[in-house]
Amino acid sequence: QVQLQESGPGLVKPSQTLSLTCTVSGDSITRMHTAWAWIRQSPGKGLEWMGVKTYGDITYYSPSLKSRISISRDTSKNQFSLQLSSVTPEDTAVYYCAAETDGAIYDTAQRYDYWGKGTQVTVGS
């Protein structure tokens, strides 16, 4: 079974870049028909799908974040990463990495079957 674990700083200063890594076990991020996503939940708000990278290294981003987001991967470590630039306090959230293995690519957070536990990121000085 797929297991995901987020890691990265819990505090980021405004205007800097937020960087998180998701380490995957139990599956390969290059296995066919898999997709690997980043999702967040801000205080008092619902889940927000941020973007996804497919097994074939194709990436899709939320239109609202497209100018600031980048998702990359390191296949040798079976990891994928999130970078979000020019952060503000509104980017404070619990950040999750998630996976889907049914061959579909979803832009809705609730459609993902496998989730990490989440990591709190606070934007502040």
Side-chain angles (χ1 to χ4, degrees), residues 3-123:
Q3 293 184 321
L4 305 99
Q5 177 67 56
E6 305 89 352
S7 60
L11 180 64
V12 182
K13 294 183 179 180
S15 81
Q16 293 190 341
T17 296
L18 179 161
S19 297
L20 297 174
T21 296
C22 183
T23 301
V24 178
S25 58
D27 204 342
S28 169
I29 62 174
T30 61
R31 185 174 69 81
M32 288 184 68
H33 307 307
T34 60
W36 308 89
W38 286 98
I39 294 161
R40 69 180 179 179
Q41 186 166 26
S42 301
K45 297 184 179 179
L47 294 167
E48 179 186 11
W49 177 85
M50 302 178 70
V52 63
K53 182 176 284 292
T54 72
Y55 68 93
D57 204 20
I58 297 172
T59 313
Y60 301 91
Y61 298 126
S62 168
S64 65
L65 297 171
K66 192 172 184 178
S67 64
R68 300 195 292 131
I69 190 174
S70 177
I71 298 176
S72 59
R73 69 181 187 179
D74 185 336
T75 57
S76 68
K77 296 180 179 178
N78 210 35
Q79 295 175 332
F80 64 107
S81 297
L82 168 71
Q83 290 197 314
L84 186 67
S85 64
S86 304
V87 296
T88 71
E90 291 187 349
D91 294 308
T92 294
V94 177
Y95 286 76
Y96 299 91
C97 55
E100 184 52 63
T101 61
D102 67 357
I105 300 170
Y106 300 113
D107 62 0
T108 304
Q110 291 81 355
R111 299 301 298 271
Y112 286 82
D113 287 339
Y114 302 96
W115 291 68
K117 293 181 180 180
T119 187
Q120 173 70 46
V121 178
T122 300
V123 178

